[in-house]
Amino acid sequence: MATLTVCLTLLSVFVSAHLPSAHASSPGKNFDNIVVIAMENQPYSTILGDGTNDANCPLMFLCSMLPYSATILQYNGYGQGIDTGCSADCYFALTTGTTGVSDQWCNSGNCQSVANIAGDLGLTTALYCENACPRQSDHYPFYGYTDTYSQALAGFTCTSCTEPTTSFGQLLNTANSENPPQFVWFTPTDCHNMHGDDSNCPNDSTDCNTSGCPTAGDNYLKQMLVGSGGTIQSPASGSLLASSLFSSGHRTLLMIWWDECGSSSSGSCDSTNDTPNIFYGPNAGVKEGYVCTTTNCNGSDEYNILKMIEDNFGVNCLVNDCNSNDLADLFTGTNTYTLSFQGFDYDGANEETLTLNNQQLIQLPAVDSPQNGGVYVNFTVDMTPLVVTGTNTLVFTHANSDCGVTDTTRNVQITNGAGTIIFSDPTERPLDCTHSITYTFNV
């Protein structure tokens, strides 16, 4: 059993997220929820070919995901000194931003504390390890961190199942809950995570010996994500992608992550340790059918993924991730929203209050501004934190302290990050104590 030591991780922030926080209702930059499925030990080409769903793509289901997903062709699971031949060190790097552990797991001299941000983010979490988590913290890092240990134990999906048993029902229940967590982690057993090669199991099932093969892992992921009779475009009822978490009302990113390349009889790693990866999120602005080979992606590693999560949710960086880019090239960049308009006689401090979806967006102007009296002034407001998928309601109201004056608003326009105008209303509209102004728009 791995040694339990006192160390805090980025994901401890998510566990601490059940506490109230000013950030709790704010969505992320590109995605509001993320689901991580942790796979094992395969070269990129063995799993995804060249990253396109062509005739040479090896695995039927995962390759069918590629036209709807983004992937990094030269992702290096051993980047920046991460231990070669890892399991534990790769997981440790992804969740703490540093290295220095072996498969015996974390020792206190190498644990990096992020206690200064724990409880401040306000995100919720669900951490699962399939069955009784036979590899423990070697493949499930939260088992080895004091602050997530008790929740990690509760996340075992079945404490008495035998190794080949498929057990992800709790994950599906979580994804269909009324308020799904913002960070979800799932570690399959070695039967299902592709830890072995094709000599270990039949090609047409999810069964295996002690180390699952790529084909069994592919079948397993299909059963979990879309159901035995489903597809990416039409997932079957009861599957993860048919859950409410992946409905149009949620901007959810699915990340299927392999800890390392791991040469085997299934294939060999190239000189850059080309580790597989898939990023799927039709409502999260993920570029579809995109094989990223830009400088932003080539040679990226666990720290880049950690930085992507941190930047999305507005979390401070930890250690080695601080010098990493955030993999922005995987996203369309359209999930930012800017409001621009002209206000007449907006001259008193906090005279006009703007709410979006029943939450205060801003009060204008921030201070007394006599220069705005009797003239139209241009205003620009970042709406991104409060925009939701679907219908949005923007309301302008006038302060009771200024009831004797009618102000005016015109040329209201909302644009996304790509510069596309998604709403426009040039009409002059009165704004006073008895007349608010309401606009609705869809994203």
Side-chain angles (χ1 to χ4, degrees), residues 54-112:
D54 62 12
N56 297 316
C57 198
L59 295 182
M60 183 176 299
F61 172 67
L62 287 177
C63 289
S64 76
M65 291 189 68
L66 292 174
Y68 310 100
S69 307
T71 183
I72 301 170
L73 190 60
Q74 293 296 326
Y75 173 85
N76 184 356
Y78 297 153
Q80 298 191 52
I82 297 170
D83 181 45
T84 58
C86 68
S87 275
D89 210 34
C90 294
Y91 287 82
F92 191 68
L94 180 64
T95 56
T96 69
T98 189
T99 60
V101 298
S102 68
D103 283 354
Q104 298 301 313
W105 200 231
C106 168
N107 68 70
S108 59
N110 290 314
C111 296
Q112 299 295 319

CSV table of all heavy atoms in Angstrom, one decimal, residues 54-112:
chain,number,residue,atom,x,y,z
A,54,ASP,N,-8.7,8.3,-40.1
A,54,ASP,CA,-8.5,7.8,-41.4
A,54,ASP,C,-8.5,6.2,-41.4
A,54,ASP,O,-8.8,5.6,-40.3
A,54,ASP,CB,-7.2,8.3,-42.1
A,54,ASP,CG,-6.0,7.9,-41.3
A,54,ASP,OD1,-6.1,7.0,-40.4
A,54,ASP,OD2,-4.9,8.4,-41.6
A,55,ALA,N,-8.3,5.6,-42.5
A,55,ALA,CA,-8.4,4.1,-42.6
A,55,ALA,C,-7.3,3.4,-41.7
A,55,ALA,O,-7.5,2.3,-41.4
A,55,ALA,CB,-8.2,3.7,-44.1
A,56,ASN,N,-6.3,4.2,-41.3
A,56,ASN,CA,-5.2,3.5,-40.5
A,56,ASN,C,-5.4,3.8,-39.1
A,56,ASN,O,-4.5,3.4,-38.3
A,56,ASN,CB,-3.8,4.1,-41.0
A,56,ASN,CG,-3.6,3.7,-42.5
A,56,ASN,OD1,-3.8,2.6,-42.9
A,56,ASN,ND2,-3.1,4.7,-43.2
A,57,CYS,N,-6.4,4.4,-38.6
A,57,CYS,CA,-6.6,4.7,-37.2
A,57,CYS,C,-7.0,3.4,-36.5
A,57,CYS,O,-7.9,2.7,-36.9
A,57,CYS,CB,-7.7,5.8,-37.0
A,57,CYS,SG,-7.7,6.5,-35.4
A,58,PRO,N,-6.2,3.0,-35.5
A,58,PRO,CA,-6.3,1.6,-35.0
A,58,PRO,C,-7.6,1.3,-34.2
A,58,PRO,O,-8.1,0.2,-34.4
A,58,PRO,CB,-5.1,1.6,-34.0
A,58,PRO,CG,-4.2,2.7,-34.4
A,58,PRO,CD,-5.1,3.8,-34.8
A,59,LEU,N,-8.1,2.1,-33.3
A,59,LEU,CA,-9.2,1.7,-32.5
A,59,LEU,C,-10.5,2.3,-32.9
A,59,LEU,O,-10.6,3.5,-33.1
A,59,LEU,CB,-8.9,2.2,-31.0
A,59,LEU,CG,-7.7,1.5,-30.4
A,59,LEU,CD1,-7.5,2.0,-29.0
A,59,LEU,CD2,-7.8,0.0,-30.4
A,60,MET,N,-11.5,1.5,-33.1
A,60,MET,CA,-12.7,1.9,-33.8
A,60,MET,C,-13.4,3.0,-33.0
A,60,MET,O,-13.8,4.0,-33.6
A,60,MET,CB,-13.6,0.7,-33.9
A,60,MET,CG,-14.9,1.0,-34.6
A,60,MET,SD,-16.0,-0.5,-34.9
A,60,MET,CE,-14.9,-1.5,-35.9
A,61,PHE,N,-13.6,2.9,-31.7
A,61,PHE,CA,-14.4,3.9,-31.0
A,61,PHE,C,-13.6,5.2,-30.8
A,61,PHE,O,-14.1,6.3,-31.1
A,61,PHE,CB,-14.9,3.4,-29.7
A,61,PHE,CG,-15.6,4.5,-28.9
A,61,PHE,CD1,-16.8,5.1,-29.3
A,61,PHE,CD2,-15.0,5.0,-27.7
A,61,PHE,CE1,-17.4,6.1,-28.6
A,61,PHE,CE2,-15.5,6.0,-27.0
A,61,PHE,CZ,-16.7,6.6,-27.4
A,62,LEU,N,-12.4,5.1,-30.2
A,62,LEU,CA,-11.7,6.3,-30.0
A,62,LEU,C,-11.4,7.1,-31.2
A,62,LEU,O,-11.4,8.3,-31.3
A,62,LEU,CB,-10.4,6.0,-29.2
A,62,LEU,CG,-10.6,5.6,-27.7
A,62,LEU,CD1,-9.2,5.3,-27.1
A,62,LEU,CD2,-11.2,6.8,-27.0
A,63,CYS,N,-11.1,6.4,-32.3
A,63,CYS,CA,-10.9,7.1,-33.6
A,63,CYS,C,-12.2,7.8,-34.1
A,63,CYS,O,-12.1,8.8,-34.7
A,63,CYS,CB,-10.4,6.1,-34.7
A,63,CYS,SG,-8.7,5.5,-34.4
A,64,SER,N,-13.4,7.2,-33.7
A,64,SER,CA,-14.6,7.8,-34.1
A,64,SER,C,-14.8,9.1,-33.4
A,64,SER,O,-15.6,10.0,-33.8
A,64,SER,CB,-15.8,6.9,-33.9
A,64,SER,OG,-16.1,6.8,-32.5
A,65,MET,N,-14.1,9.3,-32.3
A,65,MET,CA,-14.2,10.6,-31.5
A,65,MET,C,-13.4,11.7,-32.2
A,65,MET,O,-13.7,12.9,-31.9
A,65,MET,CB,-13.7,10.4,-30.1
A,65,MET,CG,-14.5,9.5,-29.2
A,65,MET,SD,-14.0,9.6,-27.4
A,65,MET,CE,-14.4,11.3,-27.0
A,66,LEU,N,-12.4,11.4,-32.9
A,66,LEU,CA,-11.5,12.4,-33.4
A,66,LEU,C,-12.1,13.5,-34.3
A,66,LEU,O,-11.8,14.7,-34.1
A,66,LEU,CB,-10.4,11.8,-34.2
A,66,LEU,CG,-9.4,10.9,-33.3
A,66,LEU,CD1,-8.4,10.2,-34.2
A,66,LEU,CD2,-8.7,11.8,-32.3
A,67,PRO,N,-13.1,13.2,-35.1
A,67,PRO,CA,-13.8,14.3,-35.9
A,67,PRO,C,-14.5,15.3,-35.0
A,67,PRO,O,-14.8,16.4,-35.5
A,67,PRO,CB,-14.7,13.6,-36.8
A,67,PRO,CG,-14.2,12.2,-36.9
A,67,PRO,CD,-13.6,11.9,-35.6
A,68,TYR,N,-14.7,15.0,-33.8
A,68,TYR,CA,-15.5,15.9,-32.9
A,68,TYR,C,-14.6,16.3,-31.7
A,68,TYR,O,-15.1,16.9,-30.7
A,68,TYR,CB,-16.7,15.1,-32.3
A,68,TYR,CG,-17.5,14.5,-33.4
A,68,TYR,CD1,-17.4,13.1,-33.7
A,68,TYR,CD2,-18.4,15.2,-34.2
A,68,TYR,CE1,-18.1,12.5,-34.7
A,68,TYR,CE2,-19.1,14.6,-35.3
A,68,TYR,CZ,-18.9,13.3,-35.5
A,68,TYR,OH,-19.6,12.7,-36.6
A,69,SER,N,-13.3,16.1,-31.8
A,69,SER,CA,-12.4,16.4,-30.6
A,69,SER,C,-11.2,17.1,-31.1
A,69,SER,O,-10.9,17.1,-32.3
A,69,SER,CB,-12.0,15.0,-30.0
A,69,SER,OG,-13.1,14.3,-29.6
A,70,ALA,N,-10.4,17.5,-30.2
A,70,ALA,CA,-9.0,18.0,-30.4
A,70,ALA,C,-8.0,17.1,-29.8
A,70,ALA,O,-8.3,16.4,-28.8
A,70,ALA,CB,-8.9,19.5,-29.8
A,71,THR,N,-6.8,17.0,-30.4
A,71,THR,CA,-5.8,16.2,-29.8
A,71,THR,C,-4.4,16.8,-30.1
A,71,THR,O,-4.3,17.5,-31.1
A,71,THR,CB,-5.9,14.7,-30.4
A,71,THR,OG1,-4.9,13.9,-29.8
A,71,THR,CG2,-5.7,14.8,-31.9
A,72,ILE,N,-3.5,16.5,-29.3
A,72,ILE,CA,-2.1,17.0,-29.4
A,72,ILE,C,-1.2,15.9,-29.9
A,72,ILE,O,-1.1,14.9,-29.3
A,72,ILE,CB,-1.6,17.5,-28.1
A,72,ILE,CG1,-2.5,18.6,-27.6
A,72,ILE,CG2,-0.1,18.0,-28.3
A,72,ILE,CD1,-2.2,19.1,-26.2
A,73,LEU,N,-0.7,16.0,-31.1
A,73,LEU,CA,0.1,15.0,-31.8
A,73,LEU,C,1.4,14.7,-31.0
A,73,LEU,O,1.8,13.5,-30.9
A,73,LEU,CB,0.3,15.3,-33.2
A,73,LEU,CG,0.9,14.2,-34.1
A,73,LEU,CD1,0.0,13.0,-34.1
A,73,LEU,CD2,1.1,14.6,-35.5
A,74,GLN,N,2.1,15.7,-30.6
A,74,GLN,CA,3.4,15.6,-29.9
A,74,GLN,C,3.3,16.0,-28.4
A,74,GLN,O,3.9,16.9,-28.0
A,74,GLN,CB,4.4,16.4,-30.6
A,74,GLN,CG,4.8,15.9,-32.0
A,74,GLN,CD,5.4,14.5,-32.0
A,74,GLN,OE1,6.1,14.1,-31.1
A,74,GLN,NE2,5.1,13.7,-33.0
A,75,TYR,N,2.4,15.2,-27.7
A,75,TYR,CA,2.3,15.5,-26.3
A,75,TYR,C,3.3,14.6,-25.6
A,75,TYR,O,3.4,13.4,-25.8
A,75,TYR,CB,0.9,15.1,-25.8
A,75,TYR,CG,0.7,15.1,-24.3
A,75,TYR,CD1,0.4,16.3,-23.7
A,75,TYR,CD2,0.8,14.0,-23.5
A,75,TYR,CE1,0.2,16.4,-22.3
A,75,TYR,CE2,0.7,14.0,-22.2
A,75,TYR,CZ,0.4,15.2,-21.5
A,75,TYR,OH,0.2,15.2,-20.2
A,76,ASN,N,4.1,15.1,-24.6
A,76,ASN,CA,5.2,14.4,-24.0
A,76,ASN,C,4.9,14.1,-22.5
A,76,ASN,O,5.0,15.0,-21.7
A,76,ASN,CB,6.5,15.2,-24.1
A,76,ASN,CG,7.7,14.5,-23.6
A,76,ASN,OD1,7.6,13.4,-23.1
A,76,ASN,ND2,8.9,15.1,-23.8
A,77,GLY,N,4.6,12.9,-22.2
A,77,GLY,CA,4.2,12.6,-20.8
A,77,GLY,C,5.4,12.6,-19.9
A,77,GLY,O,5.2,12.6,-18.7
A,78,TYR,N,6.7,12.7,-20.4
A,78,TYR,CA,7.9,12.8,-19.6
A,78,TYR,C,8.5,14.2,-19.7
A,78,TYR,O,9.7,14.4,-19.5
A,78,TYR,CB,8.9,11.8,-20.0
A,78,TYR,CG,8.5,10.4,-19.8
A,78,TYR,CD1,9.0,9.4,-20.6
A,78,TYR,CD2,7.5,10.0,-18.9
A,78,TYR,CE1,8.7,8.1,-20.5
A,78,TYR,CE2,7.1,8.7,-18.8
A,78,TYR,CZ,7.7,7.7,-19.6
A,78,TYR,OH,7.3,6.4,-19.4
A,79,GLY,N,7.7,15.2,-20.0
A,79,GLY,CA,8.3,16.6,-20.1
A,79,GLY,C,8.8,17.1,-18.8
A,79,GLY,O,8.4,16.7,-17.7
A,80,GLN,N,9.7,18.1,-18.9
A,80,GLN,CA,10.3,18.8,-17.7
A,80,GLN,C,10.7,18.0,-16.6
A,80,GLN,O,10.4,18.2,-15.4
A,80,GLN,CB,9.2,19.9,-17.2
A,80,GLN,CG,8.9,20.9,-18.3
A,80,GLN,CD,8.0,22.0,-17.7
A,80,GLN,OE1,8.4,22.6,-16.7
A,80,GLN,NE2,6.9,22.4,-18.3
A,81,GLY,N,11.4,16.9,-16.8
A,81,GLY,CA,12.0,16.1,-15.8
A,81,GLY,C,11.0,15.1,-15.1
A,81,GLY,O,11.4,14.5,-14.1
A,82,ILE,N,9.8,14.9,-15.6
A,82,ILE,CA,8.9,13.9,-15.0
A,82,ILE,C,9.5,12.5,-15.2
A,82,ILE,O,10.1,12.2,-16.2
A,82,ILE,CB,7.5,14.0,-15.7
A,82,ILE,CG1,6.9,15.4,-15.5
A,82,ILE,CG2,6.6,12.9,-15.2
A,82,ILE,CD1,5.7,15.7,-16.3
A,83,ASP,N,9.4,11.7,-14.2
A,83,ASP,CA,10.1,10.5,-14.1
A,83,ASP,C,9.7,9.5,-15.2
A,83,ASP,O,8.5,9.3,-15.4
A,83,ASP,CB,9.8,9.8,-12.7
A,83,ASP,CG,10.4,8.4,-12.6
A,83,ASP,OD1,11.6,8.4,-12.9
A,83,ASP,OD2,9.8,7.5,-12.1
A,84,THR,N,10.7,9.1,-16.0
A,84,THR,CA,10.4,8.1,-17.1
A,84,THR,C,10.0,6.8,-16.5
A,84,THR,O,10.5,6.4,-15.4
A,84,THR,CB,11.6,7.9,-18.0
A,84,THR,OG1,12.7,7.5,-17.2
A,84,THR,CG2,12.0,9.2,-18.7
A,85,GLY,N,9.1,6.1,-17.1
A,85,GLY,CA,8.6,4.9,-16.6
A,85,GLY,C,7.7,5.1,-15.4
A,85,GLY,O,7.5,4.2,-14.6
A,86,CYS,N,7.1,6.3,-15.3
A,86,CYS,CA,6.3,6.6,-14.2
A,86,CYS,C,4.9,5.9,-14.3
A,86,CYS,O,4.5,5.5,-15.3
A,86,CYS,CB,6.0,8.1,-14.1
A,86,CYS,SG,5.0,8.8,-15.5
A,87,SER,N,4.3,5.7,-13.1
A,87,SER,CA,2.9,6.0,-13.1
A,87,SER,C,2.7,7.2,-12.1
A,87,SER,O,2.3,8.3,-12.5
A,87,SER,CB,2.1,4.8,-12.6
A,87,SER,OG,1.8,4.0,-13.7
A,88,ALA,N,3.2,7.0,-10.8
A,88,ALA,CA,2.9,8.0,-9.8
A,88,ALA,C,3.4,9.4,-10.1
A,88,ALA,O,2.7,10.3,-9.9
A,88,ALA,CB,3.5,7.5,-8.5
A,89,ASP,N,4.6,9.5,-10.7
A,89,ASP,CA,5.2,10.8,-10.9
A,89,ASP,C,4.4,11.6,-12.0
A,89,ASP,O,4.2,12.8,-11.9
A,89,ASP,CB,6.6,10.7,-11.4
A,89,ASP,CG,7.5,11.9,-11.0
A,89,ASP,OD1,7.2,12.5,-9.9
A,89,ASP,OD2,8.4,12.3,-11.8
A,90,CYS,N,3.8,10.9,-13.0
A,90,CYS,CA,3.0,11.5,-14.0
A,90,CYS,C,1.7,12.1,-13.4
A,90,CYS,O,1.3,13.2,-13.6
A,90,CYS,CB,2.7,10.6,-15.1
A,90,CYS,SG,4.1,10.1,-16.1
A,91,TYR,N,1.0,11.3,-12.5
A,91,TYR,CA,-0.2,11.7,-11.8
A,91,TYR,C,0.1,12.8,-10.9
A,91,TYR,O,-0.6,13.8,-10.7
A,91,TYR,CB,-0.8,10.5,-11.1
A,91,TYR,CG,-1.5,9.5,-11.9
A,91,TYR,CD1,-0.8,8.5,-12.6
A,91,TYR,CD2,-2.9,9.5,-12.1
A,91,TYR,CE1,-1.4,7.5,-13.3
A,91,TYR,CE2,-3.5,8.6,-12.9
A,91,TYR,CZ,-2.8,7.6,-13.5
A,91,TYR,OH,-3.4,6.6,-14.3
A,92,PHE,N,1.3,12.7,-10.2
A,92,PHE,CA,1.7,13.7,-9.2
A,92,PHE,C,1.9,15.1,-10.0
A,92,PHE,O,1.5,16.1,-9.5
A,92,PHE,CB,3.0,13.3,-8.6
A,92,PHE,CG,3.4,14.1,-7.4
A,92,PHE,CD1,2.6,14.1,-6.2
A,92,PHE,CD2,4.5,14.9,-7.4
A,92,PHE,CE1,3.0,14.8,-5.1
A,92,PHE,CE2,4.9,15.6,-6.3
A,92,PHE,CZ,4.2,15.6,-5.1
A,93,ALA,N,2.6,15.0,-11.1
A,93,ALA,CA,2.8,16.3,-11.9
A,93,ALA,C,1.5,16.9,-12.3
A,93,ALA,O,1.4,18.1,-12.3
A,93,ALA,CB,3.7,15.9,-13.1
A,94,LEU,N,0.6,16.1,-12.8
A,94,LEU,CA,-0.7,16.6,-13.3
A,94,LEU,C,-1.5,17.3,-12.2
A,94,LEU,O,-2.2,18.3,-12.4
A,94,LEU,CB,-1.5,15.5,-13.9
A,94,LEU,CG,-2.9,15.9,-14.5
A,94,LEU,CD1,-2.7,16.8,-15.6
A,94,LEU,CD2,-3.6,14.6,-14.9
A,95,THR,N,-1.4,16.8,-10.9
A,95,THR,CA,-2.2,17.3,-9.9
A,95,THR,C,-1.5,18.2,-8.9
A,95,THR,O,-2.2,18.9,-8.1
A,95,THR,CB,-2.9,16.1,-9.1
A,95,THR,OG1,-1.8,15.3,-8.6
A,95,THR,CG2,-3.8,15.4,-10.0
A,96,THR,N,-0.2,18.3,-8.9
A,96,THR,CA,0.5,19.2,-8.0
A,96,THR,C,1.4,20.2,-8.6
A,96,THR,O,1.9,21.1,-8.0
A,96,THR,CB,1.3,18.4,-7.0
A,96,THR,OG1,2.4,17.8,-7.7
A,96,THR,CG2,0.5,17.4,-6.3
A,97,GLY,N,1.7,20.0,-9.9
A,97,GLY,CA,2.7,20.9,-10.6
A,97,GLY,C,4.1,20.7,-10.3
A,97,GLY,O,4.9,21.5,-10.5
A,98,THR,N,4.4,19.5,-9.7
A,98,THR,CA,5.8,19.2,-9.4
A,98,THR,C,6.1,17.7,-9.6
A,98,THR,O,5.2,17.0,-9.8
A,98,THR,CB,6.2,19.7,-8.0
A,98,THR,OG1,7.6,19.6,-7.9
A,98,THR,CG2,5.5,19.0,-7.0
A,99,THR,N,7.3,17.3,-9.4
A,99,THR,CA,7.7,15.9,-9.5
A,99,THR,C,8.5,15.5,-8.3
A,99,THR,O,8.6,16.2,-7.3
A,99,THR,CB,8.6,15.7,-10.8
A,99,THR,OG1,9.8,16.5,-10.6
A,99,THR,CG2,7.8,16.1,-12.0
A,100,GLY,N,9.0,14.3,-8.4
A,100,GLY,CA,9.9,13.8,-7.3
A,100,GLY,C,9.3,12.6,-6.5
A,100,GLY,O,9.7,12.4,-5.4
A,101,VAL,N,8.5,11.9,-7.2
A,101,VAL,CA,8.0,10.7,-6.5
A,101,VAL,C,8.2,9.5,-7.4
A,101,VAL,O,8.3,9.6,-8.6
A,101,VAL,CB,6.5,10.8,-6.2
A,101,VAL,CG1,6.2,11.9,-5.2
A,101,VAL,CG2,5.6,10.9,-7.4
A,102,SER,N,8.2,8.3,-6.8
A,102,SER,CA,8.3,7.1,-7.6
A,102,SER,C,7.0,6.3,-7.4
A,102,SER,O,6.1,6.9,-6.9
A,102,SER,CB,9.5,6.2,-7.1
A,102,SER,OG,9.2,5.8,-5.8
A,103,ASP,N,7.0,5.1,-7.9
A,103,ASP,CA,5.8,4.3,-7.7
A,103,ASP,C,5.5,4.0,-6.3
A,103,ASP,O,4.4,3.4,-6.0
A,103,ASP,CB,5.8,3.1,-8.6
A,103,ASP,CG,5.6,3.4,-10.1
A,103,ASP,OD1,5.3,4.5,-10.4
A,103,ASP,OD2,5.7,2.4,-10.9
A,104,GLN,N,6.4,4.3,-5.4
A,104,GLN,CA,6.1,4.2,-3.9
A,104,GLN,C,5.3,5.4,-3.4
A,104,GLN,O,4.8,5.4,-2.3
A,104,GLN,CB,7.4,4.1,-3.1
A,104,GLN,CG,8.2,2.9,-3.5
A,104,GLN,CD,7.5,1.6,-3.3
A,104,GLN,OE1,6.9,1.4,-2.2
A,104,GLN,NE2,7.5,0.7,-4.3
A,105,TRP,N,5.1,6.3,-4.3
A,105,TRP,CA,4.3,7.5,-4.1
A,105,TRP,C,5.0,8.6,-3.3
A,105,TRP,O,6.2,8.6,-3.2
A,105,TRP,CB,2.9,7.2,-3.5
A,105,TRP,CG,1.9,8.3,-3.7
A,105,TRP,CD1,1.1,8.9,-2.8
A,105,TRP,CD2,1.6,8.9,-5.0
A,105,TRP,NE1,0.4,9.8,-3.4
A,105,TRP,CE2,0.6,9.9,-4.8
A,105,TRP,CE3,2.1,8.7,-6.3
A,105,TRP,CZ2,0.1,10.7,-5.8
A,105,TRP,CZ3,1.6,9.5,-7.3
A,105,TRP,CH2,0.6,10.4,-7.0
A,106,CYS,N,4.2,9.5,-2.9
A,106,CYS,CA,4.7,10.8,-2.5
A,106,CYS,C,5.4,10.8,-1.1
A,106,CYS,O,4.9,10.3,-0.1
A,106,CYS,CB,3.5,11.8,-2.4
A,106,CYS,SG,3.7,13.3,-1.6
A,107,ASN,N,6.6,11.4,-1.0
A,107,ASN,CA,7.2,11.6,0.3
A,107,ASN,C,7.2,13.1,0.6
A,107,ASN,O,7.1,13.9,-0.2
A,107,ASN,CB,8.7,11.1,0.3
A,107,ASN,CG,9.6,11.9,-0.5
A,107,ASN,OD1,9.9,13.0,-0.2
A,107,ASN,ND2,10.1,11.3,-1.6
A,108,SER,N,7.1,13.4,1.9
A,108,SER,CA,6.8,14.7,2.4
A,108,SER,C,7.8,15.8,1.9
A,108,SER,O,7.4,16.9,1.8
A,108,SER,CB,6.7,14.7,3.9
A,108,SER,OG,8.0,14.3,4.5
A,109,GLY,N,9.0,15.4,1.6
A,109,GLY,CA,10.0,16.4,1.1
A,109,GLY,C,9.7,16.9,-0.2
A,109,GLY,O,10.2,18.0,-0.6
A,110,ASN,N,8.8,16.2,-1.0
A,110,ASN,CA,8.5,16.6,-2.4
A,110,ASN,C,7.1,17.1,-2.6
A,110,ASN,O,6.7,17.4,-3.7
A,110,ASN,CB,8.8,15.5,-3.4
A,110,ASN,CG,10.3,15.2,-3.5
A,110,ASN,OD1,11.1,16.1,-3.6
A,110,ASN,ND2,10.7,13.9,-3.4
A,111,CYS,N,6.3,17.1,-1.5
A,111,CYS,CA,4.9,17.5,-1.6
A,111,CYS,C,4.8,19.1,-1.6
A,111,CYS,O,5.4,19.7,-0.7
A,111,CYS,CB,4.1,17.0,-0.5
A,111,CYS,SG,4.0,15.2,-0.5
A,112,GLN,N,4.1,19.6,-2.6
A,112,GLN,CA,3.9,21.0,-2.7
A,112,GLN,C,2.5,21.4,-2.2
A,112,GLN,O,1.5,20.9,-2.6
A,112,GLN,CB,4.1,21.5,-4.1
A,112,GLN,CG,5.5,21.2,-4.7
A,112,GLN,CD,6.6,22.0,-4.0
A,112,GLN,OE1,6.4,23.1,-3.7
A,112,GLN,NE2,7.7,21.3,-3.8
